[in-house]
Amino acid sequence: PLSSNFVAASLGADSLDQAIEAGLLGFALVLFFMVAYYRLSGLIAAVSLVFYMALVLAIFKLLPVTLTLAGLAAFILSLGMAVDANILIFERMKEELRIGRSLPCATQNGFNRAWTSIRDGNLATLVIAGVLFFFGSSGANSAVTGFAVALAIGVTTSMFTAIVVSRKLITIVAGTALKHWPGAFSPEGYK
């Protein structure tokens, strides 16, 4: 042999630890942005995203899914899609509030108008995950298969938390006395 390299097992563990730290830091920054920009809606999205993380990790444990570096990347990617779904919903709510709708009406219309975009984007990602799983399962591409499985679980769970959990939480809060302050739910000040 002309050359030989030795890679210790600690290298993979260090990479996984760094990826987890980066994911947690990114998650904290996303939560900060959501609350700072979308106010009370952002706080509700933050609660929904924490629920999303707990649910995905529980599913990973239940199935069991080995959390490799590729699986962690898919998990973080699906977290971004969960945030994206909430942003689509809040932007539609903002449009409804801008034209003078009440907060409960803006909430319902915002979710209804955002649903098609969320559905289409997530279904396209699930199709890609299926293709990756199908073609990644042949040969020694277990990282691709793991990525596809983690991505499919994350995307499916993100659709559930965005449409069911976030909607229920916003509906509950919009039914309280806070409905008289729609500006608390949007980055634009409404009266």
Side-chain angles (χ1 to χ4, degrees), residues 10-22 67-73:
S10 62
L11 181 63
D14 290 342
S15 296
L16 188 59
D17 290 342
Q18 289 174 349
I20 289 172
E21 286 178 24
L67 197 58
T68 62
L69 210 49
L72 185 61

Side-chain angles (χ1 to χ4, degrees), residues 62-142:
L62 183 67
L63 285 183
V65 173
T66 303
L67 197 58
T68 62
L69 210 49
L72 185 61
F75 175 61
I76 293 170
L77 178 63
S78 64
L79 175 65
M81 293 186 72
V83 172
D84 180 53
N86 281 295
I87 289 172
L88 285 171
I89 293 164
F90 299 153
E91 287 298 317
R92 299 300 182 263
M93 283 176 56
K94 183 172 75 173
E95 292 169 2
E96 294 293 318
L97 289 170
R98 187 179 297 140
I99 60 174
R101 302 234 197 276
S102 68
L103 184 61
C105 183
T107 300
Q108 182 174 354
N109 289 346
F111 274 90
N112 291 341
R113 290 182 58 209
W115 166 242
T116 55
S117 298
I118 294 168
R119 179 200 62 211
D120 294 346
N122 286 320
L123 285 178
T125 304
L126 287 172
V127 167
I128 296 296
V131 169
L132 287 172
F133 182 81
F134 179 72
F135 289 109
S137 62
S138 61
N141 292 329
S142 63

